[in-house]
Amino acid sequence: MASPTPSLSSQYHHHQKLPMLHKITSISNNNHFRSYTKLISSLSPSTQTHQKERYPRINNTTHHAVSYLEQVHNLCESGNLNEAINFLQADFDNAIYSSEQRKEAIVVLLQACGHLKDIELGRKLHHIVSASARFSNDLVLITRLITMYSMCGSPSDSRSVFDGLQRKNLFHWNALLSGYATNELFDDVIALFTELISVTELTPDNFTLPCVIKACTRLLDVEFGELIHGFAVKTGSVSDVFVGNALIAMYGKCGFVEKAFKVFEFMPQRNLVSWNSMMNGYSENGFCQESYRLLFKGLLNGEEGLIPDVATMVSIIPVSAAESDFHMGMQLHGLALKLGLTQELMVNNSLVDMYSKCGCLPEAQVLFDMIDNKNAVSWNSMIGGYSKEGDACGTFDLLRKMQMEEKLKVNEVTLLNVLPVCLEESQLLSLKELHACSLRHGFQDNELVVNAFIAAYAKCGSLSYAENVFQVMKTKSVSSWNALISGYVQNGFPGKAFDLYLLMRDSGLDHVFDCFTIANLLLACDHLKFLCNGKEIHSYMLRNGLEMDEFICTSLLSLYIHCEKILTAKLFFDRMKYKSLVGWNTMITGFSQNGLPIEALDTFCQMLSSGNQPDEIAITGVLGACSQLSALRIGKEVHSYALKAHFMEDTFVRCSLIDMYAKSGCMEQSRSIFDRIKEKDEASWNVIITGYGIHGNGHKAIELFELMQSSGCRPDSFTFMGVLTACSHAGLVTEGLKFFSQMQSFYDIEPKLEHYACVIDMLSRAGRLNEALEFVNELPEKPDAGIWSSLLSSCRSYGDLGVGENVSRKLLELGPDKAENYVLLSNFYARLGKWDDVRRVRQRMKEMGLQKDAGCSWIEIEGKVYRFLVGDGSLPESEQIRKMWKTLERKISKIGYKHDTSCVLHELEEEEKIDILRSHSEKLAISFGLLNAGEGTALRVIKNLRICVDCHNAARLISKVVKREIIVRDNKRFHHFKNGFCSCGDYW
C-alpha cells in the first residue's frame, strides 16, 4: 500500500484526533498552511513584487511557492473559488512549481469546496485530478475527493470515487465511513464496516471504530455496538481515548448507564469529552444526582487538571431544568460565571431554558435581555418558558418580537412551544395567524407541527378546522389520528371520536394502536357508558401487553367506576403490579362518588401504608368520603395534613374542607375556613351557602348570597341551587320564589330541572300542593321521578289522597322497577290507614323481587365509623345498647316523651309497633355513642333515610336529659338537638 507524503500523513493523523466521534473529514489546513509559510518565510528574505500581472511570477523559487500557496489560500478564504481554480489551471503546468506545491494547492481547494458545499467546482477539481497522469492515482488526493463529496452532501459520488480505486488503503475506507456518518447513512456505515472486515485484510484502527460506534449510537443498536466493543478490546484500540468516548456515548444513549460508567472508569486516559459524555449519559437516563456528583466530586475536584468547558455546562445545566432544581441551577450559573463561560451563547441559552423551566421567568427574562447575539434557540427557550406558565399574552408578544428580527426565522420548535397556550376560543384568531405563518415557512409536512395544530384547534373548540388540517395531511400517522380523536373526546363528542376510531381501524392502523389511542377510546367509552366496548378494549390491552401502562390502566379504572362496576375496578386495581398515585386517587374518588365512603377511607389508609404521599386530589377524595360519613375526627386529621403539606391554596381542597365541616355539623369551623380565604371564588361561596342550606339556616344562606354579590362575585346556577335549598328547608317560600324569578330575569341564568325541583319541593313542604302542581304543569321539560317523589312525600305529610294517587301514577310510570317508588306509595297509603292498598303495593313489590332499603345509621367514635341497621340485635354490644335505651326511654318519658306509632307503617298491634320504634337505627347509634363517646362529646349520627317523627322527638328530649348536643343528618338535612330543642324548628 502506498503511503501518503509525510506532511499530509502527519496532518491527517493530527486531524483525526478531534473530539470523540468527530469526522475524519473535518480537516482544516489554515494553521498547517500558515505554519508552513511562516517556516519558509523565516528561511528566506522577504521580497516584494510590483509586477502588474494578475498572477505574478517571482523568480525566487521558495518565495514563489509561498506566494503561490498564499494566493490560493487567500482566494479560498475569501470565497473566490472560481478565481482560485482559474489561478490553479493557469499555472498548473508551470515548471517553477513542484508537484508537491500543486498537490497542496488542490488539497486547499478541495477542502474549501467541501466547507462551502460547492460540489460543481469540486467536480472540476476532480476532473483536473483525473486528467493528470501524476495525480490521478494519488492516494491522498483520492481521499480528499471522497471527503469533499461527502461534505457536499453527495455520498454516492464519494462511493463512486471509492469504487474506482484499484488499491484502497485504510484512509480511503475511513474517509467513506466518515462520509456516510456525516450524511447520517448509519446503516451504510455498518454495511461498509462489515465489508471492510470481510473482504480486506486491513485492521480497523482508532479512527474507524468511533465512526462505527457512532452509527450504532444513532441506530440504538447496542448489540452491534457490543461486538465493536469486543473487537476494540481484542485489538487494543479500547485504550484509545476517542474509542472510549464513543463507547460511553453509545451505552449512555442506549440506556446502559452502568456499562458506560464501566468504560469510563477503566479508561487509561480521559479527556474532557470523556467526562462530558458520561455526564450526558447520566442526565439523559434520569440519573441527575450522579450527573452532579460526577461534575462536582469528579471533574472539579479530580486530579486530571481538566476545566469544564461549554459542552460541560450545556450537558449539566439541562439536568437542573429537567428536575426544576432552581438552587442547583443557580450554582451552575455561578460556576459558569467563575469559568468565564457566560459570554458563550450556548451556555446562556441553557441558563435561560433552565430558569424558564424552573418557573423563574423574571430571572430568565433578565438573562435573555442581556444576550446580544440571540439566536432561534434563545427565543425558543424564552417563549417556551412563558408557554409553560400558560401566559398566552407573554408568549405571543415574544413571538411577535422574534419575527421582527431580520436574521431570525420561526422554526418548528417555536411553533411547538407557542401552540400549547392556545386553549380558549378567544385565541382562535391568533391560532389561525400562527397556522398561516407555519404554511409560509413550509411546515405543512412536518408531522409534529401539524399534529400540534390539530390539538390546538380542538382545544380552542374549532373541531371543523382541526378536521380540515387532518384531512389535508398526506400521511396520517397514529399520532395524527390520536390528536383528532382526543379533540372530539375533550369537546364532548365521544360518539364522533368512536367513529374516527373505526375509520382509523379500517385504514389499516389497528395493529399499531398506542397507549394514547387506547386511553382516548377508553375516555370515549367512559363518556358514553359503553361498557361492552370498554371490555373489548381491555381484551386488546391484554393481548398486546398494554395492561402495564399506567396511563391506560387509570383510564380503564375510570371507565369501570363510571359504569358503576366498582367491584370490577377494585379487582383490576388489586391486580396492578405498580400502583401509582393517580391509580390510588382514582379508586379513592371512585368509591366516594359511588356512595362507598368507608371503602374510600380504607383505600386511603392502604395508600398511606404503601408509602405513597397523598396529593391534593387524594385529599379532596378522602374529604368527600368524610363528608358522606360525617367522619369529623378523620376529617380533622386530613385537614391537619393539608395544612402541613401547604395544600390550602388549592381551591378544591379548601372547598372540600368547608363541605366536610358543614356536612359533619360544624358550621362554625366551616365558616372559619371560608372567612380566611382572601380571594373567594364562586365555588367557595357556593359551598358555604349550600352548607347553611342543609342546616336549615335559610337566613344565613341569604345573607351570604347578598355578600357574594356585593363582593363582585357573580352567582351561577350552583349558587341558586344552594339558596333555593336553604329557602326550602327553612320554609322561606316567598324569598325562594323571588330568587327563582331573578335567576333568568336579572342574572340571565336558565333554570335547570333541579332548580324547578327545588321550588316544587319548597312549595309542597309548605303544604301549597296545588301551587306545586301548577308549577309542575308549567315545566319546560318532562318532570323526573325526583319531582314526583317530593310531591308524594308532601301528600303523605298533609294527607291529600286525591293528589297523592295522581302523583303516584306518574311516579310509577317513570320508575316501574324502582323499589323506593313502591315504598313511598306504600308509606303514603299506610299513613292514611288504607291497609288494603298497602298490602297490594307490597305484594306487587314481592312479585317483582324488589326490596326496600333498610334503615341504616353511622356514628364515628374516636376516628372509627360504626354502622347500625334497623332491628339488628347481632352486635356484641347489643345487650348494652338495649339497656342504655331503656334507661334513656325512662328518663325522657318523665319529661313528656310518648311513642309516636304513626311512624310504623305496618298493620301491627300497638306494642309491636313500639318494639319496632325502639330498634330504629338512629336510636341504636345514639345509645352506642352515649356508651362509648367521651363525656360531653357531641354525638354525630348519619341516617340513609329521612328521620321519623318518633326518633326526632326522642333525640330532642335525650339531648336535654344527657346535657349534650346530638347532631343527626338524614337524607335531606341536618338536625341539631340541644337542650330539648331542634334547629329545624320541627319543620322538615
Side-chain angles (χ1 to χ4, degrees):
M1 179 192 304
S3 60
T5 59
S7 63
L8 285 176
S9 176
S10 62
Q11 173 191 338
Y12 185 77
H13 278 271
H14 170 75
H15 289 291
Q16 286 288 326
K17 297 270 184 179
L18 289 171
M20 169 190 80
L21 295 180
H22 286 34
K23 310 167 184 65
I24 59 175
T25 56
S26 56
I27 304 169
S28 173
N29 272 323
N30 294 355
N31 292 336
H32 167 82
F33 182 77
R34 287 169 181 153
S35 301
Y36 176 78
T37 54
K38 185 177 179 182
L39 174 64
I40 297 182
S41 299
S42 67
L43 295 174
S44 307
S46 177
T47 305
Q48 289 184 338
T49 178
H50 298 285
Q51 297 182 31
K52 296 181 180 179
E53 297 178 59
R54 186 178 182 187
Y55 306 120
R57 290 179 171 76
I58 303 172
N59 291 330
N60 184 292
T61 305
T62 305
H63 278 73
H64 193 88
V66 174
S67 178
Y68 174 71
L69 289 175
E70 278 185 344
Q71 185 74 10
V72 173
H73 172 79
N74 290 336
L75 289 169
C76 290
E77 200 170 55
S78 63
N80 296 318
L81 298 190
N82 280 311
E83 197 170 341
I85 287 182
N86 291 336
F87 173 70
L88 176 71
Q89 288 177 315
D91 289 324
F92 193 74
D93 297 323
N94 197 317
I96 296 176
Y97 312 130
S98 68
S99 298
E100 193 61 37
Q101 292 161 8
R102 288 193 290 272
K103 180 176 173 180
E104 287 282 357
I106 294 171
V107 167
V108 171
L109 274 165
L110 284 171
Q111 177 186 320
C113 289
H115 283 313
L116 297 175
K117 302 195 181 324
D118 194 334
I119 194 169
E120 295 306 319
L121 289 178
R123 293 189 198 282
K124 287 184 180 180
L125 281 170
H126 187 182
H127 179 72
I128 291 170
V129 171
S130 299
S132 169
R134 180 176 294 276
F135 296 141
S136 59
N137 292 314
D138 187 285
L139 298 179
V140 173
L141 287 179
I142 298 301
T143 305
R144 300 293 186 176
L145 280 168
I146 294 170
T147 301
M148 181 273 296
Y149 280 125
S150 296
M151 292 175 71
C152 289
S154 183
S156 59
D157 282 312
S158 296
R159 182 73 197 217
S160 180
V161 173
F162 177 83
D163 288 341
L165 284 168
Q166 294 180 353
R167 291 181 301 125
K168 301 180 182 75
N169 61 25
L170 189 58
F171 290 165
H172 300 129
W173 288 91
N174 285 349
L176 187 58
L177 281 167
S178 179
Y180 281 149
T182 301
N183 288 277
E184 299 188 353
L185 301 172
F186 301 113
D187 287 314
D188 291 332
V189 172
I190 302 297
L192 186 65
F193 175 76
T194 305
E195 184 182 347
L196 166 64
I197 60 175
S198 301
V199 302
T200 75
E201 296 181 358
L202 299 172
T203 302
D205 61 9
N206 53 348
F207 308 125
T208 317
L209 298 184
C211 192
V212 181
I213 296 168
K214 176 183 178 180
C216 295
T217 304
R218 296 296 295 274
L219 294 170
L220 299 179
D221 190 349
V222 73
E223 293 182 2
F224 197 84
E226 287 179 318
L227 292 175
I228 303 300
H229 188 177
F231 181 88
V233 171
K234 184 177 180 180
T235 59
S237 299
V238 74
S239 61
D240 182 83
V241 67
F242 300 105
V243 174
N245 290 347
L247 288 168
I248 293 169
M250 178 198 69
Y251 283 128
K253 194 72 175 177
C254 294
F256 293 83
V257 183
E258 290 184 3
K259 290 187 177 182
F261 184 72
K262 192 172 182 180
V263 173
F264 175 82
E265 193 176 24
F266 288 101
M267 286 177 74
Q269 177 190 358
R270 289 191 288 254
N271 61 12
L272 190 54
V273 175
S274 315
W275 289 88
N276 292 345
S277 298
M278 193 63 239
M279 274 187 282
N280 201 49
Y282 275 138
S283 64
E284 285 187 348
N285 288 278
F287 294 90
C288 301
Q289 295 305 316
E290 287 77 1
S291 297
Y292 295 145
R293 195 176 299 117
L294 200 65
L295 174 66
F296 291 108
K297 293 186 179 180
L299 182 56
L300 295 176
N301 298 326
E303 299 178 358
E304 299 185 29
L306 299 172
I307 299 174
D309 64 357
V310 172
T312 313
M313 300 313 298
V314 298
S315 291
I316 197 70
I317 292 172
V319 177
S320 300
E323 290 288 295
S324 296
D325 191 344
F326 170 71
H327 296 292
M328 181 58 73
M330 288 280 288
Q331 291 184 50
L332 294 173
H333 190 177
L335 177 62
L337 282 166
K338 185 177 180 181
L339 296 172
L341 298 174
T342 51
Q343 299 303 313
E344 297 290 339
L345 181 59
M346 290 177 67
V347 174
N348 281 331
N349 287 345
S350 296
L351 288 169
V352 170
D353 184 64
M354 180 274 294
Y355 282 123
S356 296
K357 289 179 178 174
C358 289
C360 303
L361 279 183
E363 291 83 352
Q365 185 71 59
V366 169
L367 190 56
F368 175 78
D369 291 339
M370 291 170 62
I371 300 174
D372 294 325
N373 55 333
K374 299 179 184 71
N375 61 7
V377 176
S378 317
W379 287 93
N380 288 342
S381 298
M382 199 66 235
I383 288 170
Y386 278 98
S387 177
K388 184 186 175 188
E389 291 295 312
D391 186 346
C393 292
T395 301
F396 278 102
D397 184 54
L398 271 174
L399 176 64
R400 281 187 288 271
K401 290 177 180 177
M402 178 183 180
Q403 290 176 307
M404 291 170 65
E405 296 287 331
E406 293 182 5
K407 296 180 181 179
L408 287 174
K409 288 185 178 180
V410 170
N411 58 26
E412 58 266 42
V413 177
T414 317
L415 294 172
L416 293 172
N417 278 338
V418 175
L419 286 170
V421 298
C422 299
L423 300 170
E424 305 290 338
E425 189 175 349
S426 59
Q427 295 164 340
L428 187 57
L429 182 60
S430 298
L431 179 58
K432 290 178 180 178
E433 291 174 356
L434 200 61
H435 193 186
C437 173
S438 76
L439 295 174
R440 286 197 304 273
H441 287 85
F443 295 126
Q444 61 268 23
D445 294 326
N446 186 301
E447 184 188 332
L448 287 175
V449 173
V450 175
N451 290 345
F453 271 110
I454 294 171
Y457 275 124
K459 288 174 183 175
C460 290
S462 183
L463 290 170
S464 58
Y465 275 95
E467 188 149 1
N468 287 340
V469 174
F470 176 79
Q471 293 298 344
V472 299
M473 291 181 72
K474 293 179 181 177
T475 304
K476 298 175 178 65
S477 67
V478 173
S479 299
S480 311
W481 285 95
N482 288 348
L484 191 58
I485 290 172
S486 176
Y488 275 106
V489 173
Q490 291 169 3
N491 281 275
F493 296 99
K496 181 64 176 174
F498 225 83
D499 292 341
L500 279 170
Y501 150 68
L502 297 174
L503 288 172
M504 179 184 179
R505 188 185 64 184
D506 294 341
S507 70
L509 290 175
D510 56 315
H511 63 290
V512 288
F513 288 165
D514 61 15
C515 295
F516 295 103
T517 317
I518 299 302
N520 281 320
L521 290 176
L522 287 172
L523 192 55
C525 292
D526 192 340
H527 289 319
L528 294 166
K529 301 294 185 288
F530 281 1
L531 181 61
C532 184
N533 296 100
K535 288 181 177 179
E536 290 177 5
I537 295 168
H538 191 177
S539 299
Y540 179 90
M541 289 165 54
L542 292 169
R543 291 195 304 271
N544 292 276
L546 295 173
E547 203 176 23
M548 299 298 291
D549 184 89
E550 174 193 345
F551 184 50
I552 61 176
C553 281
T554 305
S555 299
L556 189 61
L557 279 178
S558 179
L559 169 68
Y560 284 132
I561 288 169
H562 289 149
C563 289
E564 300 181 0
K565 297 294 180 182
I566 191 71
L567 179 59
T568 306
K570 172 69 172 156
L571 291 171
F572 176 64
F573 180 73
D574 288 343
R575 289 200 303 270
M576 287 170 61
K577 292 183 179 179
Y578 173 70
K579 297 177 176 66
S580 69
L581 184 57
V582 177
W584 286 105
N585 290 347
T586 303
M587 287 308 302
I588 292 168
T589 306
F591 278 127
S592 183
Q593 291 175 348
N594 278 273
L596 298 168
I598 293 177
E599 288 78 358
L601 293 177
D602 288 344
T603 306
F604 181 72
C605 293
Q606 291 170 26
M607 183 187 79
L608 295 177
S609 301
S610 70
N612 283 281
Q613 290 298 310
D615 61 3
E616 293 91 334
I617 298 173
I619 294 300
T620 301
V622 78
L623 284 172
C626 291
S627 296
Q628 293 178 54
L629 291 169
S630 292
L632 182 61
R633 178 167 174 175
I634 300 172
K636 284 183 174 180
E637 291 175 358
V638 175
H639 184 186
S640 176
Y641 178 86
L643 287 168
K644 292 175 183 176
H646 306 290
F647 289 163
M648 292 303 293
E649 292 302 311
D650 185 87
T651 299
F652 294 102
V653 172
R654 286 199 308 252
C655 290
S656 296
L657 277 167
I658 295 170
D659 184 62
M660 183 275 295
Y661 280 117
K663 289 180 179 173
S664 297
C666 301
M667 281 309 301
E668 296 83 3
Q669 289 92 328
S670 184
R671 182 63 184 267
S672 176
I673 295 172
F674 173 78
D675 288 341
R676 287 198 298 269
I677 300 173
K678 293 178 181 178
E679 295 183 6
K680 301 174 176 66
D681 57 8
E682 290 90 343
S684 308
W685 286 102
N686 293 346
V687 173
I688 194 71
I689 289 171
T690 302
Y692 277 116
I694 61 174
H695 281 268
N697 199 332
H699 293 290
K700 271 287 185 185
I702 292 170
E703 178 188 323
L704 279 165
F705 177 70
E706 291 169 349
L707 279 173
M708 177 184 185
Q709 296 172 83
S710 62
S711 71
C713 195
R714 185 175 175 80
D716 58 16
S717 63
F718 295 103
T719 317
F720 279 98
M721 270 302 299
V723 172
L724 292 172
T725 300
C727 291
S728 177
H729 287 311
L732 303 174
V733 179
T734 304
E735 292 86 344
L737 291 173
K738 180 189 74 173
F739 290 128
F740 181 78
S741 66
Q742 287 179 349
M743 273 186 72
Q744 198 165 8
S745 60
F746 189 75
Y747 296 99
D748 197 29
I749 297 174
E750 188 69 32
K752 297 179 181 177
L753 191 61
E754 52 262 34
H755 296 100
Y756 289 105
C758 205
V759 174
I760 292 165
D761 183 63
M762 178 173 60
L763 290 168
S764 56
R765 276 175 187 271
R768 296 160 67 167
L769 294 174
N770 289 328
E771 290 180 62
L773 282 172
E774 288 175 11
F775 207 82
V776 170
N777 294 330
E778 294 173 2
L779 286 177
E781 55 184 299
K782 190 176 180 180
D784 62 6
I787 290 175
W788 295 119
S789 296
S790 176
L791 278 169
L792 188 57
S793 294
S794 296
C795 290
R796 185 190 71 181
S797 300
Y798 290 99
D800 194 324
L801 178 61
V803 174
E805 288 191 323
N806 289 331
V807 169
S808 67
R809 282 195 292 271
K810 296 287 187 181
L811 182 62
L812 292 179
E813 285 174 8
L814 286 174
D817 56 348
K818 300 290 185 182
E820 57 267 29
N821 294 342
Y822 292 95
V823 171
L824 194 58
L825 181 57
S826 172
N827 293 345
F828 168 70
Y829 285 130
R831 188 64 177 265
L832 297 176
K834 298 175 72 64
W835 298 111
D836 289 338
D837 290 316
V838 170
R839 283 188 286 272
R840 177 176 55 79
V841 172
R842 288 180 178 170
Q843 180 60 32
R844 188 173 177 186
M845 285 182 67
K846 186 177 181 180
E847 291 170 356
M848 295 178 69
L850 302 176
Q851 289 185 335
K852 65 171 288 187
D853 291 334
C856 185
S857 295
W858 294 264
I859 187 170
E860 181 198 40
I861 305 292
E862 295 183 352
K864 187 175 180 181
V865 178
Y866 297 87
R867 185 175 70 165
F868 299 89
L869 287 171
V870 61
D872 187 0
S874 61
L875 297 171
E877 303 90 348
S878 292
E879 185 59 28
Q880 291 175 293
I881 293 171
R882 189 177 63 81
K883 289 180 179 178
M884 169 57 75
W885 177 251
K886 280 189 175 182
T887 302
L888 291 171
E889 191 176 58
R890 189 168 53 250
K891 289 181 178 180
I892 62 177
S893 294
K894 292 178 181 178
I895 58 172
Y897 171 69
K898 292 182 180 180
H899 299 104
D900 190 337
T901 56
S902 65
C903 304
V904 181
L905 304 174
H906 296 275
E907 193 177 6
L908 300 170
E909 296 295 329
E910 192 69 12
E911 193 58 37
E912 291 177 300
K913 290 183 178 183
I914 292 172
D915 284 339
I916 290 176
L917 289 175
R918 287 171 178 158
S919 64
H920 276 193
S921 63
E922 55 266 56
K923 289 190 177 80
L924 301 178
I926 290 170
S927 300
F928 180 81
L930 290 170
L931 284 168
N932 295 281
E935 187 70 27
T937 305
L939 303 182
R940 302 173 193 278
V941 176
I942 307 170
K943 187 176 181 183
N944 65 334
L945 305 174
R946 192 175 181 185
I947 189 171
C948 72
V949 174
D950 185 71
C951 289
H952 188 275
N953 293 336
R956 179 168 52 79
L957 295 172
I958 290 170
S959 71
K960 186 174 183 178
V961 298
V962 300
K963 296 181 180 178
R964 71 167 79 187
E965 185 178 11
I966 300 172
I967 302 168
V968 177
R969 184 178 119 200
D970 65 16
N971 66 348
K972 294 293 182 182
R973 56 163 300 155
F974 269 90
H975 299 267
H976 292 256
F977 300 102
K978 195 172 184 180
N979 297 324
F981 295 96
C982 179
S983 60
C984 73
D986 293 338
Y987 183 84
W988 84 99

